[in-house]
Amino acid sequence: MTLKLGLTGSIGMGKSTVAAMFAEEGVPVFDADAAVHRLQGPEGALVAQIEARFPGTTGVEGVNRGALAERVLAEPEALQNLEALVHPAVAREREAFLAEHADAPLVLLDIPLLFEKSGWRDVDKVAVVSAPQHVQRARVLARPGMTEDKFERILARQMPDEEKRVRADFIIETGACLGETRRAVRRILACLTGRSDS
């Protein structure tokens, strides 16, 4: 039976870096954000539906994520309408991934809103990626197009880091050096699969 490890963490905590470390250790990784990008990219399965619901937010390159974000972040109802399109499509992608890796002893499900959207019910264990608040803020505000206002609106949609830490089976700190983060990943693998963490 495949063990499903959910990986989550607030924006700017280093989740993508940690997911890549699990992949380097040979663990199959489902990246929910990457699935969304495929679905919303050029010729993506959701582009026509999103354009119909939010006219002017797509083009030849697929969905203009910046324009779409501006449209939905300020309107809870618009965001709910978008999620009603996106979440079922991502769930189908995840099920296909799990079927493809049904023989793997462990898979990683990288899901940003794992707690917020009740995805934790579908995994066996949860690892939360965390960093000090000042590190998180510096990382996020260094992103192209990011503003303080946009950062605060994104944070408002996410469960506070301290609450995620309380609910986690494992906490992976990313505020120090990459070597320590990698050691934390290997300790989790040792715990879940019995492999050496050296």
Side-chain angles (χ1 to χ4, degrees):
M1 181 176 165
T2 301
L3 188 72
K4 297 187 289 290
L5 174 63
L7 181 72
T8 195
S10 299
I11 185 172
M13 291 301 195
K15 189 169 55 59
S16 296
T17 298
V18 170
M21 290 179 178
F22 276 97
E24 289 163 9
E25 297 291 332
V27 178
V29 174
F30 175 77
D31 183 337
D33 274 347
V36 171
H37 279 276
R38 285 193 302 274
L39 291 163
Q40 296 184 359
E43 301 181 10
L46 291 180
V47 174
Q49 295 174 66
I50 289 172
E51 178 62 28
R53 191 73 60 91
F54 304 99
T57 60
T58 71
V60 293
E61 297 300 318
V63 173
N64 180 326
R65 291 169 69 87
L68 184 61
E70 285 303 313
R71 186 79 66 89
V72 303
L73 282 178
E75 301 178 34
E77 187 176 336
L79 182 60
Q80 290 170 7
N81 288 337
L82 177 63
E83 289 176 342
L85 294 175
V86 173
H87 289 170
V90 173
R92 289 190 292 272
E93 296 258 329
R94 184 174 64 247
E95 291 308 311
F97 165 86
L98 291 172
E100 181 182 352
H101 298 285
D103 293 333
L106 174 70
V107 296
L108 185 80
L109 302 179
D110 176 354
I111 303 175
L113 298 177
L114 184 75
F115 288 127
E116 293 85 344
K117 301 300 177 183
S118 299
W120 58 272
R121 300 177 191 275
D122 300 321
V123 298
D124 300 299
K125 298 289 183 181
V126 174
V128 167
V129 179
S130 183
Q133 191 174 35
H134 70 277
V135 173
Q136 176 194 28
R137 179 170 291 273
R139 287 172 178 169
V140 176
L141 292 179
R143 296 181 180 183
M146 185 58 66
T147 64
E148 288 273 0
D149 179 62
K150 187 175 179 182
F151 177 41
E152 292 301 329
R153 282 189 286 164
I154 292 170
L155 280 183
R157 292 179 52 228
Q158 298 184 340
M159 180 182 291
D161 180 55
E162 55 268 27
E163 189 173 343
K164 288 178 179 170
R165 292 173 67 99
V166 168
R167 296 181 64 175
D169 296 294
F170 306 100
I171 298 171
I172 303 173
E173 305 282 359
T174 66
C177 66
L178 286 175
E180 182 52 43
T181 301
R182 190 177 299 279
R183 283 189 286 277
V185 166
R186 288 177 173 166
R187 285 194 293 271
I188 292 170
L189 290 174
C191 177
L192 295 179
T193 68
R195 72 163 73 174
S196 170
D197 64 350
S198 58

